[in-house]
Amino acid sequence: SPATVNQALAAVTLLYEHGVGLRIHVKRARVEKPGEPDALTVKEQSKLERCADRRGQRDAALIFVLLYSGARAEECARLDYADITITARTGQIRLHGKGDEVRTVPLPAPARERLSDWLVARGTEPGPLWPGQRGRLTTSGIAQVVIATGEESGITGLRPHRLRHTYATRLRQGGADPAQVQALLGHSSLDTTARYFRAGKAERAEVIERIFEH
């Protein structure tokens, strides 16, 4: 990748500069800025949610947690019963992210409802939130649930990360600022979060129409 090439070039430059005292100038590889995130449209999200509800309590809860918490697939796979807190009007999950990072994310009503239904069926014993046939449901198992639900709703090749993109995009569309989105997604850098604040052509056109409508 361009980033890997540039890392190697920087290392060679440093070696020559500090080793034999020569300054070399090599043109760096161009790194394209990422475009707008590949989020689901509101219509696609609604279809996905309806299909998830038809798949049963566990799969519905899993899809809704991904959609309404922005969890990475590996974070979702690590969830235990102890990481869930749900009351009549509030809810939150504790996500174990990259490294030793742990963050707590509020759960809105749609996710709370599906999780509550699943916990009634699952029971309250400690352990993995998503039991599979051979113990804890793996990251691959979670991806398979997402792919299958996507296929049923007419979205081919759907992956968990696209649900994370959708969550972040909805936050931005709802008025969340970059710092809030960064905290909720668990990004170490605000530069990563900035991607979600690049609206696409369709959204820009919609904004213009709305602002200048008579």
Side-chain angles (χ1 to χ4, degrees):
S1 70
T4 303
V5 171
N6 287 337
Q7 260 189 337
L9 290 174
V12 172
T13 301
L14 197 65
L15 176 67
Y16 273 86
E17 187 176 336
H18 291 277
V20 294
L22 295 175
R23 287 184 175 274
I24 61 172
H25 298 282
V26 183
K27 188 177 180 181
R28 296 291 192 259
R30 186 164 176 257
V31 181
E32 296 284 348
K33 283 188 176 180
E36 62 171 319
D38 185 22
L40 297 174
T41 65
V42 173
K43 186 177 180 180
E44 287 173 331
Q45 182 175 342
S46 296
K47 287 177 67 177
L48 184 72
E49 291 179 6
R50 289 195 298 270
C51 287
D53 281 332
R54 291 196 292 267
R55 286 182 61 85
Q57 293 159 320
R58 189 200 68 175
D59 287 4
L62 196 157
I63 294 292
F64 274 77
V65 164
L66 290 169
L67 270 173
Y68 288 93
S69 74
R72 301 176 179 95
E74 54 270 28
E75 292 172 340
C76 194
R78 291 177 194 161
L79 283 171
D80 285 331
Y81 177 79
D83 294 316
I84 308 298
T85 304
I86 297 179
T87 65
R89 294 189 177 181
T90 63
Q92 60 185 29
I93 59 172
R94 186 170 60 237
L95 296 171
H96 301 265
K98 295 179 178 179
D100 294 325
E101 176 223 340
V102 178
R103 70 186 187 281
T104 301
V105 178
L107 281 177
R112 291 201 307 271
E113 290 168 10
R114 273 70 177 189
L115 254 182
S116 295
D117 290 343
W118 166 233
L119 292 177
V120 170
R122 175 196 176 279
T124 58
E125 63 274 9
L129 183 62
W130 320 112
Q133 292 181 343
R134 300 178 181 177
R136 183 186 297 273
L137 196 65
T138 63
T139 302
S140 175
I142 286 171
Q144 289 304 313
V145 171
V146 173
I147 292 168
T149 312
E151 292 283 354
E152 291 171 17
S153 60
I155 307 168
T156 303
L158 184 64
R159 294 292 187 277
H161 215 67
R162 193 172 177 195
L163 305 189
R164 180 172 161 85
H165 289 330
T166 302
Y167 172 76
T169 299
R170 297 290 178 268
L171 288 176
R172 192 256 302 165
Q173 291 171 339
D177 63 40
Q180 290 170 327
V181 176
Q182 179 188 14
L184 289 166
L185 290 179
H187 285 157
S188 57
S189 168
L190 202 56
D191 290 340
T192 307
T193 310
R195 179 184 181 189
Y196 295 103
F197 287 81
R198 298 189 187 110
K201 291 180 180 178
E203 191 173 340
R204 291 197 296 268
E206 185 182 328
V207 168
I208 293 297
E209 287 296 327
R210 188 170 67 249
I211 291 174
F212 293 104
E213 66 182 358
H214 295 289

